[in-house]
Amino acid sequence: TVRPVEAVADDWPFWRGASRNGVSTEDSGWDHKAWPPAEALWEVQLGEGASAPIVADGKVFTFGWADGSDTVVSFDAETGQRLWDQSYPCPKYGRRSDGDKGLYSGSSASPAFDPDTGLLYTLSTDGDLNCWDPARAGRRVWHVNFYDAFDVPQRPLVGSRRLRDYGYTASPLIHGEWLIAEVGDDTGNLIGFDKRTGKQVWTSQSKDPAGHTGGLVPLTVDGLPCVAVLTIRNL
């Protein structure tokens, strides 16, 4: 007797997954010669960007850029049904961007979903840090723009490779009651915000300009919760 196997799909609520190690415990089907799947279940077009989708509570959250706006969208993970979307004006490139524009455009940072509050966070290439409420059709809860709030200068050109400024790329990190983001301002490379209100809570001693990484990495050192960030100059 062949019994059907129930597929259990992992949530992937933020950059690099629930364990933040880029590994899913879900069976890919590779060992059963079932990879790749015979056909896609659904697909959508979302405009330009390199932001990875996330999955939480049976829903897919992602966003992309088109016609002068970023659009944040929620889909039913099984059917692809569009549940809601929210748009806001945003340039195609960050306002301080410089060089290599054929290599990137639109949103780059992955969204982050907080299972504790049920809130969703996105960061645009132009520094728009937004908090959305999926339970209320994506209503915006709070917003801060890094360039407007902190007057972040253009990233300096560094070294023989002449590193460019591509705007904001690093996914924010949820930790306890904080949302931590790499702002790259001279008040602090990292800034911690109250995840419920968007109020600034602390700034890091490092004041390096921002790097162009995918996100921040949490780790524990001698029992102390820490976060690693690769800035334009240092780890």
Side-chain angles (χ1 to χ4, degrees), residues 175-195:
H175 177 79
E177 291 300 309
W178 302 335
L179 183 71
I180 306 172
E182 188 185 21
V183 177
D185 186 50
D186 55 10
T187 62
N189 171 271
L190 296 183
I191 295 181
F193 301 90
D194 184 306
K195 68 181 182 181

Side-chain angles (χ1 to χ4, degrees), residues 23-43:
V23 177
S24 172
T25 59
E26 185 180 353
D27 184 6
S28 69
W30 177 263
D31 291 339
H32 314 304
K33 310 300 181 185
W35 184 263
E39 61 183 43
L41 297 178
W42 55 270
E43 61 181 56

Side-chain angles (χ1 to χ4, degrees), residues 125-141:
T125 189
D126 194 49
D128 296 291
L129 183 63
N130 284 301
C131 173
W132 314 94
D133 186 354
R136 302 180 66 180
R139 182 185 67 88
R140 185 155 61 181
V141 179

